[in-house]
Amino acid sequence: MIKKLAAAPLLLALSVSTQALAQGTANRSAPMAVPISQTVPDAQDVAYPGTMTLDIDASDITRGDYRVTQTIPVAAGTKELIVQLPQWLPGNHGPRGTLSELVALQFFVDGKPVEWKRDRVEVFAFHVMLPAGAKEVIAKFIHTSPLASAEGRITMTPEMLNLQWEKMSLYPAGHYVRRIRVKPSVTFPQGWTAASALDGMTMSGNRATWAETDYETLVDSPIFAGKNFKKWDLGQNVTLNVVADKPEQLAAKPEHIAAHKALVEEAKLAFGANHFDHYDLLLALSDKIGGIGLEHHRSSENQLEPEAFTEWDKQEWDRNLLPHEYSHSWSGKFRRPARLWTPDYRQPMQGDLLWTYEGQDQFWGAVLGARSGLQGKDMVLGMLAAWAGGFTQAPGREWRSVEDTGFDPVFASRKPKPYSSLARNEDYYTEGALVWLEIDQILREGTGGKKSIDDFAKAFFGMNPGDWGQLPFEVDEIVTKLNALYPYDWAKLIDTRINQPGQPVPLGGIEKGGYKLVWKEEPNPYTKAAMDFGKGLSLGNSIGISLDKDGKVTGTRWDSAAFNAGIVTGMQVMAVNGMAYSADDMKKAITAAKGEKGVPLELLVKRGSRFETVKVDYKDGLRYPWLERVATGKAPTGLELLLTPKRPGGAVAAAKKK
């Protein structure tokens, strides 16, 4: 009886709660999801009937707009045409289509406007309703290119333009893009010269027309055009096409062009075959057009500073761009990870193997930069040191693998992150490159110097000379080809270095190559040149912040001394130990704080309208990464052999330059 009485209040409470819940549910609407149906067809390997024409007026350099007229044939009896703007863009590794810049869209049949609707789910697709008897549809629209960097990448200035077809053309849904035919033409400003990998260009006044091609090749063949233009023949059907802000910036010396010719020669020697019928290096020397480095199969888009030729030595640190993009003709374009090849620009790309695409290419960019003489050995060693040193200060490596960073382009869109050292960025580039360096050195060590990464490159890239299609691959092929050169547990190495988080910094290639990572108080040549160019101060490896020229914090390393003192991105350092901020005074103060008896580092910082004095508990001094040779004797180390030119006389020329 006592137990029953004790349970009564509980039963009453449960009864009341159940009633309240039921009453609450009765007063709360509970909708059901509307099913999503697919209304855009998947791409099929079927030819699209007829040939599109694409005519672009790119002559309005004042307003920066591209006015497009596109004619799309349709099969008899077609009632609806579905066209798309490219969304998943090759080389961007993510959905970067510029849909917001497509405006004033209209469709016409027989001169009369017809109704269209944007797809409710796949918003890059447009459904065009056709009247009976329609034979072709004319689309008219404007691509409004950004006029300021806050709006996006600037592609048109009063001196030059960079026309990218995927931003200003539509394609029919349901077909592999290689099975869609198109004939393009562009009207340029009067007196300008254009360069593109497209074939069969003819000029009528300032209007250029190219031969009919497929839509995949069109998108893969952008244009650089400008009023200040010059080109050089680099041999092997490779041309360097340069536009500049000013004509005097085109004054390349013979030795500058010789280095670019050496790049072409060294690449062929490394990879064993060319995979293009001709290739156009497109280069803008400008601080007005938006920066770019983007690979294509028979061309690449590149931007360097206006003084790239006229201040050749000063710009050495930045000359890795062209070796990187040129190498992509092999790594990423001809040989492409299976899930990064897609039949159209609607199917999502999967970036789990980007370390084999971009990471391998980053590696070859450094190697060919050194072998060609576009960059000196010390500059490349400094670049490798900067990569390796940065990973020693990256807590994000504890939770996130290199493989997983391959998905970063999809969801992060290359935007700045609050704490990139913890979040990680697209580290498949540089950490991937260090893994490929380790692969090279294992091959050299295991075979007594008889085999190297060059042998792998010839086996992996050297088949089918002249083929400029794509050969997709999986990681198993890499393992198989490496084992054919030197039996080793390559699968385990790759799985450990790439797929597993929480691994040690990949220094194996550096150490097997006869060097070690060390720390010095002065920046290495690469880091120093990069800081001088940016007019900032990199302290990421010491107190854990980077600063612009005015002392504004542009980045804070997670769990660093500065982070723990409460210094974050966006703050501004106003004073250092009571003195107005300067980069030199900051470095002197960090040095003075070194050791147990050092002078405490005290900073006056500003955040918004609030000032605060903070003490930074740090006593290790300035720290910049270097690679230091540890091998004894004068014989070249494995790393030095890797960077040595392969062309006849190249090693002698490099030694004289040094």
Side-chain angles (χ1 to χ4, degrees):
M1 186 65 178
I2 296 176
K3 292 182 179 179
K4 290 183 179 180
L5 288 174
L10 176 59
L11 293 172
L12 179 60
L14 288 173
S15 176
V16 172
S17 298
T18 302
Q19 293 174 10
L21 180 61
Q23 185 177 4
T25 303
N27 293 332
R28 181 181 176 185
S29 299
M32 299 298 290
V34 176
I36 293 178
S37 58
Q38 179 179 326
T39 58
V40 179
D42 294 333
Q44 304 295 322
D45 193 8
V46 176
Y48 185 78
T51 298
M52 301 189 300
T53 61
L54 177 64
D55 188 63
I56 299 174
D57 185 346
S59 62
D60 191 350
I61 56 177
T62 299
R63 297 163 189 83
D65 57 43
Y66 299 80
R67 296 177 180 267
V68 182
T69 301
Q70 182 172 356
T71 302
I72 306 167
V74 294
T78 302
K79 297 181 179 180
E80 180 186 68
L81 173 67
I82 303 174
V83 292
Q84 304 167 102
L85 183 75
Q87 180 180 11
W88 288 80
L89 304 183
N92 291 264
H93 315 311
R96 303 290 176 77
T98 55
L99 186 59
S100 62
E101 294 165 13
L102 187 157
V103 301
L105 177 63
Q106 292 180 294
F107 293 96
F108 300 87
V109 173
D110 295 330
K112 298 178 181 179
V114 293
E115 182 183 3
W116 64 269
K117 295 286 186 182
R118 189 188 304 271
D119 193 273
R120 293 171 179 169
V121 176
E122 300 190 42
V123 295
F124 278 71
F126 304 93
H127 299 258
V128 185
M129 278 56 79
L130 305 181
K135 296 181 180 180
E136 63 182 24
V137 176
I138 296 177
K140 293 188 176 183
F141 56 93
I142 301 171
H143 169 68
T144 52
S145 66
L147 299 173
S149 57
E151 298 172 338
R153 178 176 174 262
I154 297 170
T155 65
M156 185 184 286
T157 75
E159 294 80 27
M160 66 182 67
L161 64 80
N162 174 197
L163 189 153
Q164 297 171 308
W165 303 99
E166 69 272 15
K167 290 180 168 60
M168 54 198 78
S169 63
L170 304 171
Y171 70 99
H175 300 265
Y176 280 28
V177 288
R178 68 187 181 205
R179 305 298 302 275
I180 302 171
R181 305 297 293 176
V182 58
K183 186 173 179 60
S185 60
V186 178
T187 300
F188 296 103
Q190 197 68 43
W192 283 28
T193 304
S196 170
L198 289 172
D199 295 315
M201 184 176 78
T202 59
M203 294 295 299
S204 177
N206 58 333
R207 184 173 185 263
T209 301
W210 289 268
E212 180 183 316
T213 188
D214 62 85
Y215 191 69
E216 180 182 45
T217 300
L218 180 78
V219 167
D220 201 41
S221 306
I223 297 172
F224 272 26
K227 66 178 182 180
N228 306 310
F229 176 92
K230 193 170 183 178
K231 69 178 181 178
W232 290 266
D233 180 5
L234 302 182
Q236 300 185 35
N237 291 328
V238 180
T239 304
L240 176 62
N241 306 272
V242 186
V243 291
D245 289 338
K246 300 177 181 178
E248 58 266 28
Q249 293 162 349
L250 296 169
K253 295 180 179 179
E255 57 266 32
H256 303 162
I257 302 306
H260 289 85
K261 290 181 177 180
L263 168 64
V264 173
E265 190 174 357
E266 290 288 352
K268 175 72 175 296
L269 291 170
F271 300 128
N274 288 338
H275 292 291
F276 47 76
D277 51 355
H278 58 83
Y279 189 99
D280 288 87
L281 284 161
L282 307 176
L283 175 60
L285 304 182
S286 176
D287 55 9
K288 298 177 182 178
I289 204 165
I292 194 170
L294 187 60
E295 67 271 15
H296 302 281
H297 209 136
R298 301 190 300 166
S299 65
S300 58
E301 299 169 88
N302 307 273
Q303 176 270 331
L304 293 174
E305 291 306 301
E307 302 80 18
F309 289 147
T310 58
E311 297 181 1
W312 181 258
D313 292 340
K314 185 178 179 180
Q315 300 295 323
E316 179 190 357
W317 74 278
D318 200 29
R319 280 202 295 275
N320 181 252
L321 178 63
L322 267 66
H324 176 100
E325 300 303 340
Y326 184 58
S327 298
H328 266 312
S329 182
W330 294 265
S331 180
K333 303 308 286 186
F334 176 58
R335 300 309 314 271
R336 195 174 307 179
R339 286 168 298 283
L340 278 172
W341 181 88
T342 56
D344 64 0
Y345 309 119
R346 167 179 171 262
Q347 179 172 312
M349 301 170 184
Q350 301 173 51
D352 54 306
L353 292 183
L354 270 170
W355 69 273
T356 67
Y357 177 137
E358 293 288 6
Q360 185 173 193
D361 190 78
Q362 188 84 358
F363 166 83
W364 280 112
V367 171
L368 295 179
R371 290 182 183 180
S372 66
L374 282 168
Q375 291 181 296
K377 185 188 78 171
D378 290 342
M379 186 65 71
V380 173
L381 291 178
M383 188 163 59
L384 294 174
W387 300 346
F391 289 127
T392 69
Q393 311 290 319
R397 299 181 71 255
E398 291 299 315
W399 73 273
R400 194 174 182 199
S401 68
V402 177
E403 177 196 38
D404 190 67
T405 68
F407 302 105
D408 218 65
V410 177
F411 62 80
S413 302
R414 293 179 172 170
K415 296 185 298 184
K417 297 179 181 177
Y419 296 104
S420 60
S421 63
L422 182 62
R424 302 202 77 173
N425 287 314
E426 296 176 27
D427 293 343
Y428 53 82
Y429 277 94
T430 51
E431 189 163 350
L434 293 175
V435 172
W436 283 102
L437 174 59
E438 184 174 8
I439 289 171
D440 172 63
Q441 296 302 313
I442 291 173
L443 287 171
R444 292 178 188 273
E445 183 181 70
T447 63
K450 296 179 181 179
K451 300 292 182 181
S452 71
I453 197 72
D454 290 76
D455 298 284
F456 169 80
K458 291 177 178 65
F460 193 69
F461 298 114
M463 72 284 285
N464 305 346
D467 179 2
W468 53 281
Q470 303 93 25
L471 282 183
F473 65 89
E474 296 282 4
V475 73
D476 289 347
E477 183 185 343
I478 292 174
V479 171
T480 298
K481 283 184 163 55
L482 286 172
N483 271 317
L485 297 172
Y486 173 60
Y488 188 81
D489 197 346
W490 297 107
K492 182 179 179 181
L493 176 76
I494 290 170
D495 181 64
T496 301
R497 297 284 187 270
I498 301 298
N499 302 333
Q500 305 303 321
Q503 299 300 312
V505 177
L507 301 177
I510 293 170
E511 293 169 351
K512 290 178 183 294
Y515 283 75
K516 68 177 180 179
L517 179 67
V518 299
W519 299 91
K520 299 183 180 182
E521 293 187 349
E522 294 297 324
N524 67 58
Y526 174 78
T527 302
K528 183 179 187 304
M531 282 199 299
D532 289 346
F533 171 76
K535 298 180 174 59
L537 179 60
S538 174
L539 301 171
N541 294 308
S542 55
I543 64 173
I545 55 174
S546 53
L547 302 162
D548 70 8
K549 61 183 179 64
D550 299 316
K552 189 173 183 178
V553 180
T554 57
T556 302
R557 175 165 55 84
W558 186 268
D559 202 28
S560 64
F563 173 90
N564 293 329
I567 301 174
V568 297
T569 303
M571 283 184 170
Q572 185 175 7
V573 178
M574 306 300 296
V576 182
N577 290 346
M579 301 295 293
Y581 171 81
S582 73
D584 285 341
D585 285 342
M586 175 66 92
K587 290 187 289 185
K588 290 176 182 177
I590 292 173
T591 300
K594 187 175 181 180
E596 293 303 318
K597 297 182 180 180
V599 179
L601 178 60
E602 191 172 273
L603 305 178
L604 175 64
V605 297
K606 178 185 178 185
R607 188 176 191 179
S609 59
R610 181 177 178 180
F611 291 81
E612 182 181 0
T613 299
V614 297
K615 293 183 178 180
V616 181
D617 185 12
Y618 179 78
K619 299 181 181 298
D620 292 333
L622 295 168
R623 297 175 79 247
Y624 293 100
W626 290 69
L627 295 192
E628 186 175 89
R629 195 179 196 271
V630 295
T632 58
K634 295 184 179 180
T637 69
L639 181 51
E640 290 163 351
L641 288 170
L642 171 67
L643 302 181
T644 299
K646 303 299 181 185
R647 67 191 186 281
V652 175
K656 287 182 178 179
K657 182 178 179 180
K658 184 177 179 181

